[in-house]
Amino acid sequence: MARKMRFSSLSVFAVSGRRLFFQVLFAAAAAAAAAAVVNSERSDTRFLLTDNSTGGQKHSEEYCAMYNICGARSDGKVLNCPLGSPSVTPDELLSEKIQSLCPTITGNVCCTEAQFNTLRTQVQQAIPFLVGCPACLRNFLNLFCELTCSPNQSQFINVTSISKAKGNLTVDGIDFYITDAFGEGMFESCKEVKFGTMNTRAIEFIGAGAKNFREWYAFIGRRAGLGVPGSPYSINFLSGVPESSGMKPMNVSTYSCGDTSLGCSCGDCPNSAVCSSSASPAPPKKSSCSVRIGSIKAKCVEVAVAILYVVLVSVFLGWGFFYKKRKTSPVSRTKPLVNVPNGGIIRRVNSRKDENIPMQMLEDVPQITNGVQLSIVQGYMSKFYRRYGTWVARNPVLVLCSSVGIVLVLCLGLVRFQVETRPEKLWVGPGSRAAKEKQFFDTHLSPFYRIEQLIIATIPDTHGKAPSIVTDSSINLLFDIQKKVDAIRANYSGSMVSLTDICLKPLGNDCATQSILQYFKMDPQNYDSFGGLDHVEYCFQHYTSAETCSSAFKAPLEPSTALGGFSGNNYLEASAFIVTYPVNNEIDKEGNGTKRAVAWEKAFIQLAKDELLPLVQSRNLTLSFSSESSVEEELKRESTADAITILISYLVMFAYISLTLGDTSRLSTCYISSKVLLGLSGVMLVMLSVLASVGFFSAVGMKSTLIIMEVIPFLVLAVGVDNMCILVHAVKRQQVELPIEGRISNALVEVGPSITLASLSEVLAFAVGSFIPMPACRVFSMFAALAVLLDFLLQVTAFVALIVFDFLRAEGNRVDCFPCVKVSGSNGESEQGSHQQKPGLLARYMKEIHAPILNIWGVKLLVICAFGAFTLASIALCSRIEPGLEQQIVLPRDSYLQGYFNNISDYLKIGPPLYFVVQNYNFSSESRQTNQLCSISQCDSNSLLNEIARASLVPESSYIAKPAASWLDDFLVWLSPEAFGCCRKFANGGYCPPDDQPPCCSSTGGSCGLSSVCQDCTTCFRHSDLQNDRPSTAQFKEKLPWFLSALPSADCAKAGNGTYTGNVELKGFEDGIIHASAFRTYHTPLNKQADYVNSMRAAREFSSRMSESLQIEIFPYAVYYTFFEQYLNIWKTAMINLAIAIGAVFVVCLVITCSFWTSAIILLVLTMIVVDLLGIMALLNIQLNALSVVNLVMSVGIAVEFCVHITHAFLVTSGDRNQRMKEALTTMGASVFSGITLTKLVGVLVLCFSRTEVFVVYYFKMYLALVLLGFLHGLVFLPVLLSMFGPPSRCVLIEKQEDRPSTSSQF
């Protein structure tokens, strides 16, 4: 199965806007960039600014608490002057600038132009995060506008602490009096705003995940240490103002995110009135119907079945009681002479006193003989077998050589034999929707990356508590491991392949390795210099913001992607390191890129086994590991791991078959009467039929599968051995004095129709399975149908010829296995003269013990009730069978992947990536599809991205963990004039990067944003250039490539290079249509097979609903969908397969026997066997998948062998139902028991020693259950059913006329 059960949520590449933007805002509100950098000395003076002696207006309107710049800290963060002064009137240009950013501030201001420019430069880092929700952005800007430039600043700002910077006093701490209403309004408007690039909320970046406005204030006001991002002075947010101070808290009006004038999208404001009214109701949680009876809780279906059983048993027992009571007078058993209707065919059976004719009364009426009225089809079959048997007995060499020769010719196709091991070719049909969607995604966007992974974990203590792995020693161990991984050099075609040659590099030359070592830039020398464990703890909280926490590949690393075994955000409790190496993938699985990656992966696994595992275990830790190719490699190893076990199983069956065909009644002649050579020859014919089937399909270009090689020989042996036993036993029952031609002819007439009926039923049952879309089931059905057909043909040709040779050998006193050796004396067979051979032990058991017990009326009632109870219970239990195939079962028990999959379930905190792919998105101005897809301001409330965000609120039913990362939202924000640091252009119209990127920012580390190269850059658009804040078709086409090639940075975190490069197909987009684009989110953690199936079903239902609603082509895609699609309809597939197989058997039986009664009984028993096998699966927790479906279909074929022969023998035997049941068990019961039951039991029991769990579960357990159920139904339930409700006998009494030829001469 697919190995995509483990996914590391790669931090979104290219989100470099993690840097200082939200902390520096606080410094920007207080300082200007032009200040000289001087060393500051902290003053111990702490005071409250009060009225001075002159003005008395320090805490009054139109007065400033801080104005201008007086210095800077040693880390360069500028500081305000603490001296109060009256507000000033700005010039017209500055006033317009301030109004554009701070519309609430009019008239005088308390900031210089340098302060405002610094404020504007710094807030541009926050704008891309919030511009999608104008209300939130306006509230957020108002907070810092009022702090920096408000003319009434002194009314709510109080300097409480000062410092000295080279003799100048600077602000070191302030009280900011602000109303709770403003804080509450700002937080409520921003708390749900999404930052799509990271699939998370913007508050995680600009508020450290604050849960309320007080936590947000605390984060904003924290004074940062030197070199650490944050405010250069402390800000103490207070709501209560001292009465004597004359101050008033800042209380600028806030905007609700639901405000129509500054409306946010429903994804950013789900509680707005518009969104609440349009919100789609969450899908109802499916709950199974249950009934509580006392302390027992049972499903409704179980209660219904129990009630049904009580009713049926009551009716049946009542009928049985009255039937037995009424049957007080003996029923006449004398049958009148029967006129045979026209068209009927009578087969005469010579009247003789032996065990084959129970009606001994015929001896007293010599002119009456016993015959069998056959259907037209059976009549012609008997006629054919009569003549054919005589011809084979006379020409055994010709028949043997010609039949074996034809089969050997078919075997020549084995030269083109190939085994299909690729999971996508086994379980995914060519018309599969998932396969088509994967092909579309890989072709139009980009294939999902390959994953190599290590999981290092601590060992739980005696109480089950695992200690933390976040320690100095463990991190140093991780550096040692990384060094060894980096040193891997794999040889591919003479060239050496390293990790850097194949790894995913989204933003430069560094691999996007997911490891906490990224907090040290993957460099062990940085461990101590960065602060060691303290730095790790700091980065757990500031991974999105701190420059020192940025990864080597220039993107933030979310701790949950590199840690496991923790709760909530308690990363220090983590008990496991998860190291993920994303590797580039290719569409062509046979290309050089894929082969290079596979070569490195093999070296990686070998290193993990040989060096890393002992190294980790020496530190009392555990290690599990995997690569992209691990599952396929282990499956190949699994195919040979149990080769010896399977071979022993077949050898045991061969030995038993060879022995069971012979006679052991006399030890002195056993070396002559035994039939070991005949049994071995028969087994060889069975294997030849399998090889011929495989050879034929190989010749026409069809690949075989492991299922075929493991299951079909088992199936064909079951069918073939049964036929061999029936044929040999039928010949033995013939009179010895008859010539060999007569014995062979009579035996084929006796059992040929039932063998033909069973074999044709099986062939047709398997053949109809070739129409199933699942490749594994379809190929199995085709191979099995041809193998069973060839086996049947070899049985009635080559094996009959071998029987002739073997009986001639025995009559010639030649030793078995050494036919050239002849001994003197007579064999046991000739000594019996005209008598038949003595019945064997099994035949005597069936006649003298088994049949008499089943003829007891009470036993019959008990059998019917017991089997009915189990069948109804199995129907109820079927609801407990879950679809899926656990990977641990498929792999060998000693596979290194066993521990890996267990650890994935325990430690991984995020599910597989989920993409919603939009086809043929029309972005032209005339189309509304842009607003139907996006989730920022002015987007439709029921847009795709808004609905995804809503679905993420109910992850238990939607299986969607986060809102989607939207390239469209980020592109529209990037274009927005408010995001003035993003989309910029030079005077010549070319793209101008942000000020902190080259060429605007000097590569030598000079001051960014002051370069003359970019000083004339302007925003791409003014509001007047856009149409309702949306670009025109031409603007969209021109700027989208800019966006996708723009690098993200602190000044513009919304750029698309790396993040969205593979999410938009630009090919052919010039016509206004983007043919393929994807929006990425994540599934919730999926731990069980049912989770994978249900998540796929939920995603498809969601996409279907959105496609219908928006009239846009949308489908979901995740890498595991192709492998789990089969389970969406696995029950339907199984039921169709079984219905067709059982129906085919019914049709064949009806055509051949012309008896609806007989066919219905066979249909009933087959159905009960299959239903009971499903019940056993539920009891043994066996899942429903391709393997179990194949086994269920195969069970129909084997069950036919248990039913058809007994039923046919019952049909053509004379007497009442009890006598006919006894006769059928005597003649056929022994053959069925020895030919199928015992043969399979001895072979199945060997499989329990298999090293692979899949053989134990799906072959040992299911085969054992099948054999036992077949035996019980075929030799216990079916005889009882026939003895009570069986069809009338086809035997008739005919008047023997001496003057007309015998009817038997027709045959």
Side-chain angles (χ1 to χ4, degrees):
M1 293 298 295
R3 66 176 296 284
K4 301 294 183 185
M5 313 306 171
R6 76 284 179 276
F7 299 89
S8 173
S9 167
L10 286 179
S11 300
V12 179
F13 312 125
V15 187
S16 298
R18 64 212 175 281
R19 301 189 187 117
L20 317 178
F21 69 90
F22 48 87
Q23 293 92 341
V24 180
L25 283 175
F26 322 137
V37 178
V38 294
N39 292 327
S40 62
E41 299 175 357
R42 180 82 181 271
S43 170
D44 293 332
T45 305
R46 185 176 181 85
F47 57 92
L48 175 68
L49 294 183
T50 57
D51 294 347
N52 60 17
S53 58
T54 58
Q57 299 296 321
K58 286 192 173 181
H59 291 301
S60 62
E61 294 183 359
E62 301 296 330
Y63 209 85
C64 306
M66 304 176 294
Y67 187 77
N68 215 335
I69 307 299
C70 287
R73 302 196 317 179
S74 60
D75 59 359
K77 292 182 179 179
V78 293
L79 300 169
N80 280 351
C81 300
L83 301 178
S85 63
S87 60
V88 299
T89 302
D91 59 42
E92 185 176 353
L93 179 59
L94 177 59
S95 179
E96 290 179 358
K97 288 182 178 180
I98 294 175
Q99 283 285 303
S100 66
L101 187 67
C102 307
T104 59
I105 297 177
T106 58
N108 293 346
V109 295
C110 282
C111 60
T112 64
E113 184 172 3
Q115 283 179 294
F116 175 78
N117 288 338
T118 301
L119 170 66
R120 186 177 185 276
T121 299
Q122 298 302 330
V123 296
Q124 76 179 34
Q125 299 176 357
I127 287 175
F129 291 85
L130 305 177
V131 72
C133 182
C136 169
L137 177 61
R138 174 48 48 208
N139 294 332
F140 186 79
L141 291 178
N142 283 348
L143 174 68
F144 293 98
C145 285
E146 293 294 323
L147 173 63
T148 305
C149 294
S150 172
N152 304 316
Q153 188 186 70
S154 65
Q155 286 198 310
F156 50 82
I157 297 294
N158 185 41
V159 177
T160 58
S161 178
I162 62 172
S163 299
K164 273 190 178 182
K166 286 191 176 182
N168 295 327
L169 294 178
T170 59
V171 174
D172 191 62
I174 66 171
D175 286 340
F176 189 167
Y177 293 96
I178 187 169
T179 63
D180 288 348
F182 180 88
E184 185 72 28
M186 183 177 70
F187 179 78
E188 288 298 319
S189 67
C190 294
K191 67 178 182 180
E192 296 297 338
V193 175
K194 306 299 186 298
F195 180 45
T197 307
M198 286 287 289
N199 296 92
T200 188
R201 299 183 305 160
I203 197 72
E204 300 290 339
F205 293 83
I206 61 175
K211 302 298 187 297
N212 53 61
F213 75 93
R214 298 188 189 280
E215 291 184 8
W216 197 2
Y217 281 167
F219 172 75
I220 291 174
R222 187 179 303 120
R223 182 182 186 274
L226 296 177
V228 178
S231 173
Y233 54 81
S234 62
I235 304 175
N236 185 24
F237 289 90
L238 300 171
S239 58
V241 178
E243 295 182 1
S244 60
S245 66
M247 301 177 70
K248 297 179 181 179
M250 194 275 285
N251 190 25
V252 176
S253 299
T254 56
Y255 296 89
S256 166
C257 63
D259 190 294
T260 55
S261 62
L262 293 172
C264 303
S265 69
C266 289
D268 293 335
C269 189
N271 296 325
S272 68
V274 175
C275 300
S276 300
S277 62
S278 64
S280 57
K285 189 174 181 179
K286 297 180 180 179
S287 57
S288 58
C289 175
S290 61
V291 177
R292 185 172 293 279
I293 305 174
S295 60
I296 301 175
K297 185 177 181 181
K299 293 183 178 181
C300 292
V301 64
E302 296 169 350
V303 175
V305 167
I307 295 174
L308 177 63
Y309 176 72
V310 171
V311 172
L312 292 178
V313 166
S314 300
V315 173
F316 175 70
L317 292 179
W319 170 84
F321 174 77
F322 287 109
Y323 178 82
K324 189 68 175 177
K325 187 176 181 180
R326 291 178 57 188
K327 195 177 179 181
T328 54
S329 60
V331 179
S332 175
R333 301 188 182 186
T334 305
K335 293 184 181 290
L337 297 181
V338 177
N339 293 325
V340 181
N342 293 335
I345 297 180
I346 304 299
R347 186 179 77 212
R348 175 180 299 183
V349 180
N350 292 331
S351 176
R352 59 186 183 274
K353 186 176 181 180
D354 61 20
E355 293 167 315
N356 284 332
I357 304 297
M359 298 180 64
Q360 300 299 328
M361 66 176 187
L362 294 178
E363 293 182 349
D364 301 329
V365 190
Q367 72 275 17
I368 301 297
T369 186
N370 187 28
V372 180
Q373 180 183 355
L374 302 175
S375 69
I376 297 177
V377 176
Q378 286 177 304
Y380 282 114
M381 290 172 61
S382 296
K383 181 178 180 180
F384 167 77
Y385 278 120
R386 172 76 65 187
R387 295 176 176 175
Y388 173 74
T390 303
W391 181 75
V392 172
R394 292 173 179 171
N395 305 279
V397 175
L398 175 62
V399 173
L400 179 62
C401 293
S402 58
S403 57
V404 172
I406 293 174
V407 171
L408 289 176
V409 170
L410 292 177
C411 291
L412 293 177
L414 291 172
V415 297
R416 298 187 60 186
F417 174 75
Q418 289 181 302
V419 177
E420 183 63 79
T421 58
R422 291 175 294 176
E424 65 272 15
K425 297 296 183 181
L426 290 174
W427 318 119
V428 184
S432 162
R433 171 184 168 184
K436 293 178 180 178
E437 291 170 348
K438 180 181 186 301
Q439 179 67 22
F440 182 90
F441 187 91
D442 291 349
T443 304
H444 293 271
L445 299 173
S446 61
F448 194 74
Y449 47 81
R450 303 173 70 89
I451 295 177
E452 335 298 341
Q453 206 162 53
L454 297 171
I455 299 179
I456 304 158
T458 57
I459 299 175
D461 57 23
T462 55
H463 302 289
K465 173 71 174 177
S468 174
I469 199 170
V470 187
T471 62
D472 288 318
S473 60
S474 297
I475 295 176
N476 286 322
L477 172 64
L478 206 54
F479 274 117
D480 294 338
I481 291 174
Q482 185 61 44
K483 183 178 179 181
K484 292 179 178 294
V485 172
D486 289 337
I488 294 176
R489 297 294 183 271
N491 189 344
Y492 171 71
S493 298
S495 62
M496 306 309 291
V497 182
S498 66
L499 177 61
T500 56
D501 296 328
I502 59 174
C503 69
L504 188 66
K505 301 172 184 176
L507 285 176
N509 298 321
D510 293 290
C511 297
T513 300
Q514 302 294 287
S515 168
I516 67 164
L517 300 184
Q518 291 287 6
Y519 296 143
F520 304 97
K521 315 297 187 201
M522 302 297 289
D523 188 350
Q525 296 181 356
N526 290 336
Y527 184 70
D528 292 329
S529 61
F530 279 22
L533 205 58
D534 292 336
H535 179 69
V536 173
E537 183 177 357
Y538 175 77
C539 289
F540 286 164
Q541 304 300 323
H542 303 91
Y543 65 92
T544 60
S545 57
E547 179 67 24
T548 54
C549 297
S550 174
S551 66
F553 61 94
K554 301 179 179 62
L557 177 75
E558 189 174 351
S560 61
T561 66
L563 297 172
F566 59 89
S567 58
N569 292 329
N570 300 318
Y571 301 124
L572 290 176
E573 297 178 357
S575 58
F577 289 145
I578 302 175
V579 183
T580 306
Y581 303 100
V583 171
N584 290 314
N585 206 352
E586 290 187 357
I587 299 176
D588 183 9
K589 301 304 180 184
E590 302 298 326
N592 287 333
T594 300
K595 291 180 178 179
R596 282 160 53 89
V598 170
W600 187 90
E601 287 165 358
K602 291 180 178 179
F604 170 71
I605 295 300
Q606 199 60 45
L607 173 73
K609 291 179 178 179
D610 297 342
E611 298 185 34
L612 301 186
L613 187 59
L615 176 63
V616 171
Q617 290 176 343
S618 67
R619 306 293 181 88
N620 199 30
L621 301 172
T622 64
L623 173 68
S624 58
F625 47 91
S626 173
S627 71
E628 183 76 16
S629 56
S630 286
V631 170
E632 188 170 345
E633 292 298 324
E634 287 297 281
L635 286 178
K636 290 179 181 178
R637 187 171 72 88
E638 177 265 336
S639 64
T640 58
D642 288 300
I644 296 179
T645 305
I646 298 173
L647 181 60
I648 292 175
S649 173
Y650 286 133
L651 289 177
V652 170
M653 287 189 288
F654 295 165
Y656 172 78
I657 294 165
S658 301
L659 295 175
T660 193
L661 293 179
D663 299 317
T664 57
S665 57
R666 298 181 61 180
L667 185 61
S668 59
T669 59
C670 66
Y671 53 88
I672 295 178
S673 60
S674 67
K675 301 190 182 301
V676 174
L677 185 59
L678 178 63
L680 286 175
S681 302
V683 170
M684 293 303 298
L685 293 178
V686 171
M687 300 314 296
L688 275 177
S689 65
V690 175
L691 293 175
S693 175
V694 176
F696 172 78
F697 286 110
S698 297
V700 298
M702 291 188 65
K703 292 184 179 181
S704 182
T705 67
L706 295 177
I707 294 179
I708 290 175
M709 306 313 298
E710 293 157 356
V711 177
I712 290 185
F714 202 89
L715 166 67
V716 181
L717 269 176
V719 176
V721 171
D722 186 40
N723 290 342
M724 288 191 294
C725 290
I726 290 173
L727 284 169
V728 172
H729 292 167
V731 176
K732 287 182 180 180
R733 286 195 296 269
Q734 306 307 314
Q735 293 177 325
V736 177
E737 71 272 8
L738 289 176
I740 189 65
E741 294 91 340
R743 279 179 281 169
I744 295 295
S745 177
N746 288 343
L748 285 177
V749 169
E750 179 183 343
V751 300
S754 66
I755 290 178
T756 305
L757 173 60
S759 298
L760 290 182
S761 299
E762 292 154 2
V763 170
L764 187 57
F766 289 127
V768 294
S770 61
F771 297 102
I772 297 169
M774 188 185 299
C777 291
R778 183 179 68 251
V779 173
F780 165 80
S781 298
M782 296 172 65
F783 278 68
L786 183 57
V788 171
L789 177 61
L790 292 175
D791 179 59
F792 163 69
L793 295 176
L794 286 176
Q795 297 296 328
V796 297
T797 56
F799 189 71
V800 173
L802 290 172
I803 291 176
V804 173
F805 288 129
D806 188 77
F807 274 80
L808 292 175
R809 172 199 60 77
E811 293 172 1
N813 291 332
R814 298 182 180 275
V815 178
D816 190 21
C817 297
F818 302 97
C820 296
V821 179
K822 185 175 181 179
V823 297
S824 58
S826 61
N827 60 44
E829 295 174 357
S830 60
E831 292 176 357
Q832 295 181 25
S834 62
H835 298 287
Q836 291 176 296
Q837 294 184 359
K838 185 179 180 181
L841 180 62
L842 282 177
R844 293 198 302 271
Y845 163 78
M846 289 291 173
K847 179 181 179 181
E848 299 170 6
I849 300 178
H850 193 80
I853 292 177
L854 295 182
N855 265 326
I856 301 174
W857 185 252
V859 173
K860 293 181 180 181
L861 296 180
L862 180 63
V863 167
I864 297 294
C865 291
F867 278 79
F870 190 76
T871 299
L872 291 177
S874 297
I875 294 175
L877 288 172
C878 284
S879 62
R880 300 178 182 270
I881 301 177
E882 293 187 352
L885 178 61
E886 298 292 346
Q887 293 190 92
Q888 292 91 326
I889 292 180
V890 179
L891 299 168
R893 292 175 178 174
D894 60 349
S895 172
Y896 62 87
L897 290 178
Q898 294 285 359
Y900 171 77
F901 286 125
N902 292 331
N903 286 345
I904 282 296
S905 300
D906 295 337
Y907 297 126
L908 209 60
K909 296 298 182 181
I910 195 164
L914 167 63
Y915 296 86
F916 287 97
V917 181
V918 177
Q919 301 181 66
N920 302 319
Y921 157 44
N922 186 345
F923 61 81
S924 64
S925 304
E926 296 77 18
S927 171
R928 291 198 64 258
Q929 290 190 3
T930 296
N931 287 339
Q932 288 180 310
L933 295 176
C934 65
S935 64
I936 60 174
S937 178
Q938 300 188 25
C939 296
D940 293 352
S941 61
N942 65 338
S943 68
L944 172 64
L945 291 164
N946 280 331
E947 290 298 324
I948 294 174
R950 284 197 192 97
S952 68
L953 300 177
V954 283
E956 61 279 356
S957 58
S958 69
Y959 292 90
I960 297 176
K962 298 181 178 183
S966 168
W967 69 266
L968 181 58
D969 284 356
D970 286 358
F971 173 56
L972 295 177
V973 169
W974 184 83
L975 282 176
S976 173
E978 280 86 359
F980 43 79
C982 291
C983 185
R984 308 198 306 170
K985 61 183 179 181
F986 288 112
N988 62 5
Y991 172 65
C992 176
D995 287 334
D996 59 352
Q997 295 182 22
C1000 303
C1001 178
S1002 172
S1003 60
T1004 59
S1007 177
C1008 292
L1010 300 178
S1011 172
S1012 60
V1013 177
C1014 301
Q1015 64 181 0
D1016 294 330
C1017 288
T1018 59
T1019 57
C1020 293
F1021 304 110
R1022 296 187 297 270
H1023 280 290
S1024 59
D1025 297 328
L1026 303 176
Q1027 305 170 9
N1028 296 323
D1029 288 338
R1030 297 292 183 262
S1032 65
T1033 306
Q1035 291 167 341
F1036 201 110
K1037 287 192 291 186
E1038 179 188 8
K1039 297 302 186 288
L1040 182 59
W1042 286 18
F1043 168 73
L1044 294 176
S1045 60
L1047 290 172
S1049 64
D1051 282 357
C1052 182
K1054 290 287 187 176
N1057 191 349
T1059 310
Y1060 300 121
T1061 303
N1063 287 7
V1064 185
E1065 183 187 35
L1066 293 182
K1067 182 179 179 180
F1069 88 114
E1070 294 83 1
D1071 58 0
I1073 303 291
I1074 294 178
H1075 298 288
S1077 64
F1079 301 96
R1080 183 196 64 249
T1081 180
Y1082 293 89
H1083 277 303
T1084 54
L1086 308 176
N1087 297 320
K1088 301 185 299 182
Q1089 296 281 291
D1091 293 338
Y1092 285 93
V1093 178
N1094 293 334
S1095 65
M1096 182 179 181
R1097 180 180 289 110
R1100 284 193 169 181
E1101 290 174 354
F1102 175 85
S1103 295
S1104 176
R1105 188 169 67 250
M1106 293 308 302
S1107 296
E1108 183 178 353
S1109 172
L1110 304 178
Q1111 296 298 303
I1112 300 176
E1113 300 173 77
I1114 304 169
F1115 68 84
Y1117 171 74
V1119 286
Y1120 69 88
Y1121 281 4
T1122 53
F1123 307 105
F1124 281 85
E1125 185 184 40
Q1126 57 177 306
Y1127 301 123
L1128 293 178
N1129 300 305
I1130 191 69
W1131 272 109
K1132 179 180 177 181
T1133 300
M1135 293 301 103
I1136 291 177
N1137 269 271
L1138 293 173
I1140 292 176
I1142 295 175
V1145 174
F1146 175 79
V1147 170
V1148 172
C1149 292
L1150 186 61
V1151 170
I1152 293 180
T1153 64
C1154 293
S1155 171
F1156 183 84
W1157 196 336
T1158 303
S1159 303
I1161 288 179
I1162 294 176
L1163 176 68
L1164 173 64
V1165 178
L1166 288 180
T1167 304
M1168 289 181 65
I1169 291 176
V1170 173
V1171 171
D1172 290 351
L1173 187 56
L1174 286 169
I1176 295 294
M1177 287 176 59
L1179 293 175
L1180 298 178
N1181 294 320
I1182 298 177
Q1183 294 173 305
L1184 190 66
N1185 48 56
L1187 292 177
S1188 50
V1189 169
V1190 167
N1191 285 342
L1192 288 170
V1193 174
M1194 186 190 72
S1195 70
V1196 176
I1198 293 181
V1200 167
E1201 295 291 330
F1202 284 103
C1203 302
V1204 168
H1205 301 301
I1206 298 292
T1207 305
H1208 184 266
F1210 178 85
L1211 192 64
V1212 299
T1213 305
S1214 59
D1216 61 20
R1217 286 194 176 101
N1218 289 332
Q1219 290 175 319
R1220 291 160 58 203
M1221 181 264 282
K1222 179 179 179 181
E1223 189 67 23
L1225 283 175
T1226 302
T1227 57
M1228 285 296 178
S1231 299
V1232 171
F1233 184 74
S1234 61
I1236 298 181
T1237 308
L1238 293 182
T1239 304
K1240 290 300 149 205
L1241 277 179
V1242 296
V1244 166
L1245 292 177
V1246 178
L1247 294 178
C1248 70
F1249 300 103
S1250 172
R1251 294 167 54 195
T1252 306
E1253 193 69 17
V1254 69
F1255 281 97
V1256 176
V1257 174
Y1258 291 96
Y1259 298 135
F1260 168 66
K1261 291 182 179 180
M1262 285 197 72
Y1263 284 6
L1264 182 61
L1266 170 60
V1267 171
L1268 294 179
L1269 288 174
F1271 161 72
L1272 291 174
H1273 283 80
L1275 297 180
V1276 177
F1277 176 73
L1278 178 60
V1280 169
L1281 187 66
L1282 291 173
S1283 68
M1284 298 180 72
F1285 309 105
S1289 174
R1290 288 290 176 86
C1291 278
V1292 294
L1293 304 180
I1294 59 175
E1295 183 178 0
K1296 184 177 180 180
Q1297 299 179 10
E1298 299 296 338
D1299 58 345
R1300 55 183 295 190
S1302 171
T1303 57
S1304 63
S1305 64
Q1306 300 176 44
F1307 310 98

